[in-house]
Amino acid sequence: MENRYTKTKRLMTITMLLTMSILLQLLEPGLPLPVPGVKLGLANIMGLITLFLFTPKDMLSVNLLRVLLASLLRGTLFGTAFWLSLSGVCLSTVMVILLKKYTPMSIIGLSVASSVFHCLGQILAVSVIWDSIFMITYLPVMWVLSVPTGVLTGTISKQVLIRMKKEA
């Protein structure tokens, strides 16, 4: 699929995916959800789309830049929220790249895995920051909730890719 993109169109598309991911990350905390600390992971949609349209390196760049720039815009750069977000996105991105390369998982399966590993990365980070292993007791709750959110974001990603292929 990458051969459809000229160098300029490729850069423009990746930049738009990054911009949309930043916007989603900035808007998502405003969504009312019943469980504290749980988010839908809407910004992950743009990372998954980037992985399927371009390369793992591009996905990693979009995800890392999203966390950095959204934290900078929010004024939380190098605060606890930044480190939690960064650890979650690093672990989930690396795992999704490996799973896509070595397994036949669908985009929905990869999205669920991303959600699960994002939770793990955040719990590990908060355990280190607060010097308390007891945060790990929240992990089962987060994992149970990460499955439907991963299915949701994976389904949206799949539908976007289907529509992009029809227009291309």
Side-chain angles (χ1 to χ4, degrees):
M1 180 172 211
E2 196 167 354
N3 58 1
R4 291 192 341 230
Y5 289 92
T6 63
K7 196 172 189 177
T8 303
K9 185 176 178 182
R10 179 182 182 282
L11 181 59
M12 182 185 69
T13 304
I14 291 171
T15 303
M16 285 193 301
L17 289 165
L18 171 61
T19 303
M20 288 186 285
S21 71
I22 293 168
L23 181 63
L24 287 169
Q25 184 161 334
L26 291 173
L27 293 176
E28 192 167 16
L31 298 176
L33 293 174
V35 181
V38 174
K39 294 181 184 167
L40 295 175
L42 297 175
N44 188 47
I45 294 167
M46 299 306 136
L48 287 169
I49 292 168
T50 303
L51 177 63
F52 277 79
L53 288 180
F54 301 106
T55 68
K57 181 181 173 185
D58 294 322
M59 179 196 194
L60 184 63
S61 297
V62 164
N63 285 346
L64 292 177
L65 283 169
R66 166 179 49 97
V67 170
L68 180 68
L69 294 172
S71 295
L72 187 62
L73 290 168
R74 214 183 255 136
T76 59
L77 190 61
F78 304 123
T80 301
F82 168 77
W83 294 113
L84 296 181
S85 185
L86 184 65
S87 14
V89 87
C90 284
L91 183 59
S92 67
T93 301
V94 168
M95 292 309 297
V96 164
I97 289 169
L98 292 172
L99 288 169
K100 185 175 186 296
K101 184 173 182 173
Y102 295 110
T103 71
M105 289 177 80
S106 69
I107 192 167
I108 295 171
L110 291 171
S111 180
V112 170
S114 176
S115 185
V116 166
F117 283 106
H118 189 89
C119 292
L120 179 60
Q122 287 187 320
I123 291 292
L124 292 173
V126 80
S127 295
V128 169
I129 291 168
W130 290 352
D131 195 25
S132 172
I133 194 68
F134 295 111
M135 285 305 297
I136 208 149
T137 60
Y138 197 51
L139 196 54
V141 172
M142 291 182 70
W143 275 346
V144 166
L145 295 171
S146 69
V147 172
T149 61
V151 169
L152 174 69
T153 57
T155 301
I156 293 170
S157 302
K158 182 178 180 179
Q159 291 303 312
V160 169
L161 286 169
I162 288 169
R163 283 162 177 75
M164 286 182 76
K165 287 179 184 177
K166 286 182 182 178
E167 291 179 11

